[in-house]
Amino acid sequence: MPAFYLLSAILITGLEQTLQWKYGATGIIGLLILTIGFKAKSSALISIGAVVLALLVAGPAL
């Protein structure tokens, strides 16, 4: 079981670093809101975090 926690921590850290590198502070804030929403079981926070990340990935409309 400790190996699962270590692997999970490595995966989350890698995802966070990728978001920070590619999308900056807004990506980290979106991921943070999404994570807090999951832990608090709040559908409003989950939706807000998902929308922030989706807008970053979609980029500006042409």
Side-chain angles (χ1 to χ4, degrees):
M1 195 56 112
F4 173 73
Y5 292 129
L6 179 63
L7 184 62
S8 176
I10 291 171
L11 181 67
I12 294 298
T13 303
L15 177 65
E16 183 179 343
Q17 290 299 319
T18 302
L19 277 172
Q20 178 68 28
W21 170 69
K22 192 167 183 177
Y23 299 113
T26 309
I28 294 299
I29 291 170
L31 183 63
L32 180 66
I33 293 171
L34 187 67
T35 304
I36 291 171
F38 275 121
K39 289 186 179 192
K41 294 183 174 94
S42 170
S43 60
L45 287 177
I46 293 171
S47 298
I48 291 170
V51 167
V52 168
L53 292 176
L55 288 173
L56 282 173
V57 171
L62 296 176

Coordinates of all heavy atoms in Angstrom, one line a residue:
M1 N 0.8 -1.2 0.0 CA 0.0 0.0 0.0 C 0.9 1.3 0.0 O 0.5 2.2 -0.7 CB -0.9 0.0 1.2 CG -2.1 1.0 1.1 SD -3.0 0.8 -0.4 CE -4.6 0.3 0.3
P2 N 2.0 1.3 0.7 CA 2.8 2.5 0.7 C 3.3 2.8 -0.8 O 3.5 4.0 -1.1 CB 4.0 2.2 1.6 CG 3.4 1.2 2.6 CD 2.5 0.4 1.8
A3 N 3.6 1.8 -1.5 CA 4.0 2.0 -2.9 C 3.0 2.7 -3.7 O 3.3 3.5 -4.6 CB 4.4 0.6 -3.6
F4 N 1.7 2.4 -3.5 CA 0.6 3.1 -4.2 C 0.6 4.6 -3.9 O 0.4 5.4 -4.7 CB -0.7 2.5 -3.8 CG -1.9 3.2 -4.3 CD1 -2.3 3.1 -5.6 CD2 -2.7 4.0 -3.5 CE1 -3.4 3.8 -6.1 CE2 -3.8 4.7 -3.9 CZ -4.1 4.6 -5.3
Y5 N 0.8 4.9 -2.6 CA 0.9 6.3 -2.2 C 2.0 7.0 -2.8 O 1.9 8.2 -3.2 CB 0.9 6.5 -0.7 CG -0.4 6.0 0.0 CD1 -0.3 5.1 1.1 CD2 -1.6 6.5 -0.4 CE1 -1.5 4.7 1.7 CE2 -2.8 6.1 0.2 CZ -2.7 5.2 1.3 OH -3.9 4.8 1.9
L6 N 3.2 6.4 -2.9 CA 4.4 7.0 -3.5 C 4.1 7.2 -5.0 O 4.4 8.3 -5.5 CB 5.6 6.1 -3.3 CG 6.9 6.6 -3.9 CD1 7.3 7.9 -3.2 CD2 8.0 5.5 -3.7
L7 N 3.6 6.2 -5.7 CA 3.3 6.3 -7.1 C 2.3 7.4 -7.4 O 2.4 8.2 -8.3 CB 2.8 5.0 -7.7 CG 2.5 4.9 -9.2 CD1 3.8 5.2 -9.9 CD2 2.0 3.6 -9.5
S8 N 1.3 7.5 -6.5 CA 0.2 8.5 -6.6 C 0.8 9.9 -6.4 O 0.5 10.9 -7.2 CB -0.9 8.3 -5.6 OG -1.8 9.3 -5.6
A9 N 1.7 10.1 -5.5 CA 2.4 11.4 -5.2 C 3.2 11.8 -6.4 O 3.3 13.0 -6.8 CB 3.2 11.3 -3.9
I10 N 3.9 10.8 -7.0 CA 4.8 11.1 -8.1 C 3.9 11.5 -9.3 O 4.3 12.5 -10.0 CB 5.7 9.9 -8.5 CG1 6.7 9.7 -7.4 CG2 6.3 10.1 -9.8 CD1 7.5 8.4 -7.5
L11 N 2.8 10.9 -9.5 CA 1.9 11.2 -10.7 C 1.3 12.6 -10.5 O 1.3 13.4 -11.4 CB 0.8 10.1 -10.8 CG -0.2 10.3 -11.9 CD1 0.5 10.1 -13.2 CD2 -1.3 9.4 -11.8
I12 N 0.9 12.9 -9.3 CA 0.3 14.2 -9.1 C 1.3 15.3 -9.2 O 1.0 16.4 -9.8 CB -0.4 14.2 -7.7 CG1 -1.6 13.3 -7.6 CG2 -0.8 15.6 -7.3 CD1 -2.7 13.6 -8.6
T13 N 2.5 15.1 -8.7 CA 3.6 16.1 -8.8 C 3.9 16.3 -10.2 O 4.1 17.5 -10.7 CB 4.8 15.6 -8.0 OG1 4.4 15.4 -6.6 CG2 5.9 16.7 -8.0
G14 N 4.0 15.3 -11.0 CA 4.3 15.4 -12.4 C 3.2 16.2 -13.2 O 3.5 17.0 -14.0
L15 N 1.9 15.9 -12.9 CA 0.8 16.6 -13.5 C 0.9 18.1 -13.1 O 0.7 19.0 -13.9 CB -0.5 16.0 -13.0 CG -1.8 16.7 -13.6 CD1 -1.9 16.6 -15.1 CD2 -3.0 16.1 -12.9
E16 N 1.2 18.3 -11.8 CA 1.2 19.7 -11.4 C 2.3 20.5 -12.0 O 2.2 21.6 -12.5 CB 1.4 19.7 -9.9 CG 1.4 21.1 -9.3 CD 1.6 21.1 -7.7 OE1 1.4 20.0 -7.1 OE2 1.9 22.1 -7.2
Q17 N 3.5 19.9 -12.2 CA 4.6 20.5 -12.8 C 4.4 20.8 -14.3 O 4.7 21.8 -14.9 CB 5.9 19.7 -12.7 CG 6.4 19.7 -11.3 CD 6.8 21.1 -10.8 OE1 7.4 21.9 -11.5 NE2 6.5 21.4 -9.5
T18 N 3.7 19.9 -15.0 CA 3.3 20.0 -16.4 C 2.3 21.2 -16.5 O 2.5 22.0 -17.4 CB 2.7 18.7 -16.9 OG1 3.7 17.7 -16.8 CG2 2.4 18.9 -18.4
L19 N 1.3 21.3 -15.7 CA 0.4 22.4 -15.7 C 1.1 23.7 -15.5 O 0.8 24.7 -16.1 CB -0.7 22.2 -14.7 CG -1.9 21.3 -15.1 CD1 -2.8 21.0 -14.0 CD2 -2.6 21.9 -16.3
Q20 N 2.0 23.7 -14.5 CA 2.7 25.0 -14.2 C 3.5 25.4 -15.4 O 3.6 26.6 -15.7 CB 3.5 24.8 -12.9 CG 4.4 26.0 -12.5 CD 3.5 27.1 -12.1 OE1 2.5 27.0 -11.5 NE2 4.0 28.3 -12.3
W21 N 4.2 24.5 -16.0 CA 5.1 24.8 -17.1 C 4.3 25.3 -18.3 O 4.7 26.2 -19.0 CB 5.9 23.6 -17.4 CG 6.7 23.7 -18.7 CD1 7.8 24.5 -18.9 CD2 6.5 23.0 -19.9 NE1 8.2 24.4 -20.2 CE2 7.5 23.5 -20.8 CE3 5.6 22.1 -20.3 CZ2 7.5 23.0 -22.1 CZ3 5.6 21.6 -21.6 CH2 6.6 22.1 -22.5
K22 N 3.2 24.6 -18.6 CA 2.5 24.9 -19.8 C 1.4 26.0 -19.7 O 1.2 26.8 -20.6 CB 1.8 23.6 -20.3 CG 1.3 23.7 -21.7 CD 0.9 22.4 -22.3 CE 0.5 22.6 -23.7 NZ 0.1 21.3 -24.4
Y23 N 0.7 26.0 -18.5 CA -0.4 26.9 -18.4 C -0.2 27.9 -17.3 O -1.1 28.8 -17.0 CB -1.7 26.1 -18.1 CG -2.0 25.2 -19.2 CD1 -2.0 23.8 -19.0 CD2 -2.4 25.7 -20.5 CE1 -2.3 23.0 -20.1 CE2 -2.7 24.8 -21.5 CZ -2.6 23.5 -21.3 OH -2.9 22.6 -22.3
G24 N 0.9 27.9 -16.5 CA 1.2 28.9 -15.6 C 0.4 28.8 -14.3 O -0.2 27.8 -14.0
A25 N 0.3 29.9 -13.6 CA -0.4 29.9 -12.3 C -1.9 29.6 -12.4 O -2.5 29.0 -11.5 CB -0.2 31.3 -11.6
T26 N -2.5 30.0 -13.5 CA -3.9 29.8 -13.7 C -4.2 28.3 -13.7 O -5.2 27.8 -13.2 CB -4.5 30.5 -14.9 OG1 -4.1 31.8 -14.9 CG2 -6.0 30.4 -15.0
G27 N -3.4 27.5 -14.3 CA -3.5 26.1 -14.4 C -3.4 25.4 -13.0 O -4.2 24.5 -12.7
I28 N -2.5 25.9 -12.2 CA -2.4 25.4 -10.8 C -3.6 25.8 -10.0 O -4.1 25.0 -9.2 CB -1.1 25.9 -10.2 CG1 0.1 25.4 -10.9 CG2 -1.0 25.6 -8.7 CD1 0.3 23.9 -10.9
I29 N -4.1 27.0 -10.2 CA -5.3 27.4 -9.4 C -6.5 26.6 -9.8 O -7.3 26.1 -9.0 CB -5.6 28.9 -9.6 CG1 -4.5 29.7 -8.9 CG2 -6.9 29.3 -9.1 CD1 -4.5 31.2 -9.3
G30 N -6.7 26.3 -11.1 CA -7.8 25.5 -11.6 C -7.7 24.1 -11.0 O -8.7 23.5 -10.6
L31 N -6.4 23.5 -11.0 CA -6.2 22.2 -10.4 C -6.5 22.2 -8.9 O -7.1 21.2 -8.4 CB -4.8 21.7 -10.7 CG -4.5 20.3 -10.3 CD1 -5.3 19.2 -11.0 CD2 -3.0 20.0 -10.5
L32 N -6.1 23.2 -8.3 CA -6.3 23.3 -6.8 C -7.8 23.4 -6.5 O -8.3 22.7 -5.6 CB -5.6 24.5 -6.3 CG -5.8 24.8 -4.8 CD1 -5.1 23.7 -4.0 CD2 -5.2 26.2 -4.4
I33 N -8.6 24.2 -7.2 CA -10.0 24.3 -7.0 C -10.7 23.0 -7.3 O -11.6 22.5 -6.6 CB -10.6 25.4 -7.9 CG1 -10.1 26.8 -7.5 CG2 -12.1 25.4 -7.9 CD1 -10.5 27.9 -8.4
L34 N -10.3 22.3 -8.4 CA -10.8 21.0 -8.7 C -10.5 20.0 -7.6 O -11.4 19.2 -7.2 CB -10.2 20.5 -10.0 CG -10.8 19.2 -10.6 CD1 -12.2 19.5 -11.1 CD2 -10.0 18.8 -11.8
T35 N -9.3 19.9 -7.1 CA -8.9 19.0 -6.0 C -9.7 19.3 -4.7 O -10.2 18.4 -4.1 CB -7.4 19.1 -5.8 OG1 -6.7 18.9 -7.0 CG2 -7.0 18.1 -4.7
I36 N -9.8 20.6 -4.4 CA -10.6 20.9 -3.2 C -12.1 20.5 -3.3 O -12.7 20.0 -2.4 CB -10.5 22.4 -2.9 CG1 -9.0 22.7 -2.4 CG2 -11.5 22.9 -1.8 CD1 -8.7 24.2 -2.3
G37 N -12.6 20.7 -4.5 CA -14.0 20.3 -4.8 C -14.2 18.8 -4.6 O -15.2 18.4 -4.1
F38 N -13.2 18.0 -5.1 CA -13.3 16.5 -4.9 C -13.3 16.1 -3.5 O -14.0 15.3 -3.0 CB -12.3 15.8 -5.7 CG -12.6 15.6 -7.1 CD1 -11.8 16.1 -8.1 CD2 -13.7 14.8 -7.5 CE1 -12.1 15.8 -9.5 CE2 -14.0 14.6 -8.8 CZ -13.2 15.1 -9.8
K39 N -12.3 16.8 -2.7 CA -12.2 16.4 -1.3 C -13.4 16.9 -0.5 O -13.8 16.2 0.4 CB -10.9 17.0 -0.8 CG -9.7 16.3 -1.3 CD -8.4 16.8 -0.6 CE -7.3 16.0 -1.2 NZ -6.1 16.2 -0.5
A40 N -14.0 18.0 -0.8 CA -15.1 18.5 -0.1 C -16.4 18.0 -0.7 O -17.5 18.3 -0.1 CB -15.1 20.1 -0.2
K41 N -16.4 17.2 -1.7 CA -17.6 16.7 -2.4 C -18.5 17.8 -2.8 O -19.7 17.8 -2.6 CB -18.3 15.7 -1.6 CG -17.4 14.4 -1.4 CD -18.1 13.4 -0.5 CE -17.4 12.1 -0.5 NZ -16.5 12.0 0.6
S42 N -18.0 18.9 -3.3 CA -18.7 20.1 -3.7 C -18.8 20.1 -5.3 O -17.8 20.4 -5.9 CB -18.1 21.3 -3.2 OG -18.6 22.5 -3.8
S43 N -20.0 19.9 -5.8 CA -20.1 19.9 -7.2 C -19.8 21.3 -7.8 O -19.4 21.4 -9.0 CB -21.5 19.4 -7.7 OG -22.5 20.3 -7.1
A44 N -20.1 22.4 -7.1 CA -19.8 23.7 -7.6 C -18.3 24.0 -7.8 O -17.9 24.5 -8.8 CB -20.4 24.8 -6.6
L45 N -17.5 23.6 -6.8 CA -16.1 23.7 -6.9 C -15.5 22.8 -8.0 O -14.6 23.2 -8.7 CB -15.4 23.5 -5.6 CG -15.5 24.5 -4.5 CD1 -14.9 24.1 -3.2 CD2 -15.0 25.8 -5.0
I46 N -16.0 21.6 -8.1 CA -15.6 20.7 -9.2 C -15.9 21.3 -10.5 O -15.0 21.3 -11.4 CB -16.2 19.3 -9.0 CG1 -15.7 18.6 -7.8 CG2 -15.9 18.5 -10.3 CD1 -16.5 17.4 -7.5
S47 N -17.0 21.9 -10.7 CA -17.4 22.5 -12.0 C -16.6 23.7 -12.3 O -16.1 23.9 -13.4 CB -18.9 22.9 -11.9 OG -19.7 21.8 -11.8
I48 N -16.3 24.6 -11.3 CA -15.5 25.8 -11.5 C -14.1 25.4 -11.9 O -13.5 25.9 -12.9 CB -15.5 26.7 -10.3 CG1 -16.9 27.3 -10.1 CG2 -14.4 27.8 -10.4 CD1 -17.0 28.0 -8.7
G49 N -13.5 24.4 -11.2 CA -12.1 24.0 -11.5 C -12.1 23.4 -12.9 O -11.1 23.6 -13.6
A50 N -13.1 22.6 -13.3 CA -13.1 21.9 -14.6 C -13.2 23.0 -15.7 O -12.6 22.9 -16.7 CB -14.2 20.9 -14.6
V51 N -14.0 24.0 -15.5 CA -14.2 25.0 -16.5 C -12.9 25.8 -16.6 O -12.5 26.1 -17.8 CB -15.4 25.9 -16.1 CG1 -15.4 27.2 -16.9 CG2 -16.7 25.2 -16.3
V52 N -12.3 26.1 -15.5 CA -11.0 26.9 -15.6 C -10.0 26.1 -16.5 O -9.3 26.6 -17.4 CB -10.4 27.2 -14.2 CG1 -9.0 27.7 -14.3 CG2 -11.3 28.2 -13.5
L53 N -9.8 24.8 -16.2 CA -8.9 24.0 -16.9 C -9.3 23.8 -18.4 O -8.5 23.8 -19.3 CB -8.7 22.6 -16.2 CG -8.1 22.6 -14.9 CD1 -8.0 21.3 -14.2 CD2 -6.6 23.2 -15.0
A54 N -10.6 23.7 -18.6 CA -11.1 23.5 -20.0 C -10.8 24.8 -20.8 O -10.4 24.7 -22.0 CB -12.6 23.2 -20.0
L55 N -11.0 25.9 -20.2 CA -10.7 27.2 -20.9 C -9.3 27.4 -21.2 O -8.9 27.9 -22.2 CB -11.2 28.4 -20.1 CG -12.8 28.5 -20.0 CD1 -13.1 29.7 -19.0 CD2 -13.3 28.8 -21.4
L56 N -8.4 26.9 -20.3 CA -7.0 27.0 -20.6 C -6.6 26.1 -21.7 O -5.8 26.4 -22.5 CB -6.2 26.6 -19.3 CG -6.1 27.7 -18.2 CD1 -5.4 27.1 -17.0 CD2 -5.3 28.8 -18.7
V57 N -7.1 24.9 -21.7 CA -6.7 23.9 -22.7 C -7.3 24.3 -24.1 O -6.6 24.2 -25.1 CB -7.2 22.5 -22.4 CG1 -7.1 21.5 -23.5 CG2 -6.5 22.0 -21.1
A58 N -8.5 24.9 -24.1 CA -9.1 25.3 -25.4 C -8.4 26.5 -26.0 O -8.4 26.6 -27.2 CB -10.6 25.6 -25.1
G59 N -7.9 27.4 -25.2 CA -7.2 28.5 -25.7 C -8.2 29.6 -26.2 O -9.4 29.4 -26.2
P60 N -7.6 30.6 -26.7 CA -8.5 31.7 -27.3 C -9.2 31.2 -28.6 O -8.6 30.5 -29.4 CB -7.5 32.8 -27.5 CG -6.2 32.2 -27.7 CD -6.2 31.0 -26.8
A61 N -10.4 31.7 -28.7 CA -11.1 31.4 -30.0 C -10.6 32.2 -31.1 O -10.2 33.4 -31.0 CB -12.6 31.8 -29.8
L62 N -10.5 31.6 -32.3 CA -9.9 32.2 -33.4 C -11.0 33.0 -34.2 O -12.1 32.7 -34.3 CB -9.2 31.2 -34.3 CG -8.0 30.5 -33.7 CD1 -7.5 29.5 -34.7 CD2 -6.9 31.5 -33.4

